[in-house]
Every structure is written in C-alpha cells, then in structure tokens.
Amino acid sequence: MSLFRRAWLWAALVLVSGLLAGLLAWAAFPAAVLLGPMIAAMAFSLGGVPLEVPHRAFAAAQAVVGCLVAVTVTPATLAALGQQWLPMLVTIVHIIISGAVVGLVLILRGVVPGSTAAWGASPGGAAAMSIMAESYGADMRMVAFMQYLRMFVVVLTASGVSRLLLGHAVAPPADRALSLGLDAPVLPLALTLLVIACGMLLARRLRVPAGTMLLPMLLAAALNASGLLRITLPAWLLWATYACLGWYIGMRFTRCTVRHALRAIPQLVLATFLLIALCGIAAWMLTAWLGVDPLSAYLATSPGGLDSVVVIAAGSGCDVPFVMAQQTLRLFAVVLIGPQVARLLCRFDARRRGIKETAGNRTGR
C-alpha cells in the first residue's frame, strides 16, 4: 500500500472515529471516547481496510492507562482505607469473588472460554482488563465487548435505581467548555511522561506480563499517593490513548467474532444482572455494618465504570467521597488480583475439558 493511500485511510479513520465518539458522548454513552474509535476501526476492519496500530503506540497507551488508574490512589483514599479498612476490604473481596462466580457460570454455560470469561467478568477497569487480557492469552475483542456491554447495563441500572427506587434524580453534569488540556502545567506533565517512559523501559527489560501497564501504574501510584508528584494527564493525551486502544481492539474484529458476540448478548446481559445482584449483597453489608445510606452503598459496590458511577453519585446527593474511595480501591485490587483469578478459572476450564475428553474417549471405546 502506498504511503499516500495509508495516510488517507488513517485520516478517514480519525474523522469517522471523532464523529462516532461525539455522537456517543452527546447520547451520554459511557466511555464514548474509546467506543467511537473502536466501532469505527471495527467497521474499517470488516470492510477489508488493512490498517494496524504500531506496537509502540499501543504500549504507550497501556502505560497511560496504568497512570490513569494510579491517579485514583490519593491521600484521601488511603485515609478512608485506614479508617474503615476491614468493611471495605471484605466488600472488595466479595465483589472480586462475585466476578469470578459469574465468570465460572459463563464457562459452564459454554458462552466464552475460561480466560476470556475471567477477564470479561472482572468487576471494574474495562480498559485495563481489556489490555491485560491479551497479555494473558485471552480474546481481547470479546473481553472488551463484555466489559463495555456490562458498563452500559450497569450505568443504566444505577441511574434507574437512583431515580426510581431510592427517590434521587440524577442531575445532569454541568456544561463545560471543550478543552484539550493544553494549559496543563508543564513540569508535572513532563515528569508524568518521564514516569510513563521509565515504566515502559522497565517493563521491556523485566518482561513482566502486562508490565507495560502495571509497572507505570505502581510507580505513578506511589508518587501520587505520597505527594511527591501530581500525575498530570491532560485531555489530549487521554483522548489519544483511548483512540489508540479503541483502534487496536476494533481492528482485530472479524465477521466470525462479531457474529459470536451478537449471539452471546442475551447470556452476557443475564450474567451482568447476576453480577449486579451479587454486588448488591456487598451493598447490604456496607449498610448493615457501617450505617451507610442505601444509595451510597449501592453505587460504591456497583460493578460499572468509576467515572460514570461517580457522576451519578455526585448528582444524587449521596456520600461521594465514600463511593470514590470504595470504587478506587476495588479498581486497584482488581488490576492486581485479576491475573490470579484468571489463572484459577483457566485451570478449572482446562480440567473440565480434560475430564470431558476422557469420558468421551471411554464412551467411544
């Protein structure tokens, strides 16, 4: 393919991605900046357009996502953990186990394979889970599809619970001028980019699975929580990161993958409601244990996107710091514990398949 044609195709992809992201954002769809490019790249891929995201660009996007997770770890979050560490720890463990149970159900029902079920059912961090899934051999496309389908269902459900069941109407977010973040402070931004570069270099040397995201995340979290560095991620950097991730995932879709994903939607939606119900038990635990109001407890344990849940919490008059602290700690825990949960479910799936094959061979004899 000529350089001119490739540049023209990339320009077309950027334009379509921007239009789709804008439409999704206008419709208040969660993660619109990532989903728009992903849908656009999927359409280009299914149409036979041969484009590919460079590996270094994808690695840089992973590192930025790691820093984005690290930003949520603040002194206030650590203070909340110190004051109420046992109830928060118990509910976080409960929610992680609930995600594993839902993944197990998906395996037993034959909806998706073990590793894909483990990462797709993981409660929180959709972008992070999609990135880590590929590093551990799962189908990144199905994981992303499962994660963002669940996010959409969870956000709608949380809004409905807030408005109908608990009597709180969600206030629309205040109008804000569109900003690229070009006025971001130069020194913190430069140091943040240095953290990203150092994390990527260290991950390349150590060859840790998903290290391109995990090592910058741990380094940035330590600096951010200690107050040594204010991690700065301007809008233009986040938009470029989400676009890169969306294109990388979308370009890997095939007609077969799309057909399988569409057929699995009913079972995946049911699995999402099962996870919401299991997380509801954790909300009841917080209400009974700490006396937290039901809405705050529900939103704190909701297995959806952190940003979307916090917006709902802010517009519903509930305990936003508590919701933020609980969601942040769970996100960090899921990213760190996710590989172990995935390994356990993969071993179970492999053992189950082995038993089935052995039984089939005996029957054949």
Side-chain angles (χ1 to χ4, degrees):
M1 182 190 300
S2 67
L3 183 62
F4 175 79
R5 175 171 169 75
R6 184 177 295 274
W8 183 88
L9 289 174
W10 272 110
L13 178 60
V14 170
L15 177 61
V16 175
S17 299
L19 291 174
L20 286 175
L23 287 173
L24 292 172
W26 175 79
F29 206 99
V33 184
L34 187 146
L35 290 178
M38 188 173 79
I39 295 171
M42 190 189 311
F44 274 55
S45 176
L46 296 178
V49 177
L51 290 177
E52 185 176 351
V53 175
H55 178 72
R56 289 186 180 180
F58 179 59
Q62 294 180 63
V64 174
V65 170
C67 288
L68 184 61
V69 175
V71 167
T72 63
V73 182
T74 63
T77 304
L78 298 179
L81 177 62
Q83 294 172 359
Q84 302 169 334
W85 67 271
L86 185 57
M88 296 180 79
L89 179 62
V90 170
T91 52
I92 287 170
V93 170
H94 171 86
I95 294 171
I96 292 174
I97 293 175
S98 298
V101 169
V102 172
L104 187 61
V105 170
L106 291 173
I107 292 172
L108 294 174
R109 296 290 299 173
V111 180
V112 287
S115 58
T116 303
W119 292 106
S122 186
M129 293 302 102
S130 300
I131 289 170
M132 294 178 70
E134 186 181 47
S135 299
Y136 285 89
D139 187 342
M140 186 185 197
R141 301 162 299 184
M142 280 302 298
V143 170
F145 181 82
M146 293 169 66
Q147 286 282 343
Y148 288 104
L149 175 65
R150 189 185 74 235
M151 182 187 294
F152 179 65
V153 174
V154 166
V155 169
L156 288 181
T157 305
S159 299
V161 168
S162 176
R163 185 176 182 87
L164 300 177
L165 300 184
L166 298 175
H168 291 274
V170 179
D175 292 334
R176 292 179 296 178
L178 184 63
S179 172
L180 292 175
L182 298 177
D183 56 348
V186 176
L187 183 58
L189 175 58
L191 291 176
T192 299
L193 295 177
L194 181 61
V195 168
I196 291 172
C198 290
M200 292 174 61
L201 182 60
L202 192 59
R204 188 174 180 181
R205 292 287 180 86
L206 297 180
R207 297 184 179 180
V208 179
T212 312
M213 188 191 76
L214 289 177
L215 294 180
M217 180 188 76
L218 294 174
L219 180 58
L223 294 171
N224 194 64
S226 64
L228 294 175
L229 173 63
R230 181 163 63 91
I231 299 299
T232 303
L233 301 170
W236 61 264
L237 180 59
L238 292 178
W239 291 354
T241 296
Y242 289 141
C244 182
L245 292 178
W247 291 332
Y248 187 86
I249 296 169
M251 288 173 186
R252 291 169 170 251
F253 272 86
T254 63
R255 295 178 188 274
C256 180
T257 307
V258 171
R259 284 195 296 266
H260 177 66
L262 293 176
R263 284 197 301 267
I265 284 179
Q267 297 179 75
L268 294 178
V269 171
L270 289 175
T272 297
F273 282 117
L274 173 60
L275 182 58
I276 292 173
L278 291 173
C279 292
I281 298 174
W284 173 82
M285 291 166 58
L286 288 175
T287 302
W289 198 340
L290 298 177
V292 179
D293 67 276
L295 178 59
S296 297
Y298 179 83
L299 293 176
T301 57
S302 178
L306 173 64
D307 52 353
S308 302
V309 170
V310 170
V311 167
I312 295 172
S316 301
C318 64
D319 190 346
V320 177
F322 178 79
V323 173
M324 185 71 179
Q326 182 78 16
Q327 287 276 351
T328 296
L329 292 171
R330 189 183 78 229
L331 172 60
F332 211 77
V334 165
V335 171
L336 293 178
I337 299 174
Q340 286 70 36
V341 175
R343 286 193 189 101
L344 288 175
L345 290 183
C346 287
R347 287 175 186 170
F348 171 81
D349 190 32
R351 190 172 299 173
R352 184 180 66 94
R353 291 174 183 272
I355 292 173
K356 278 189 173 182
E357 289 178 2
T358 303
N361 292 335
R362 288 177 180 175
T363 303
R365 291 176 186 174

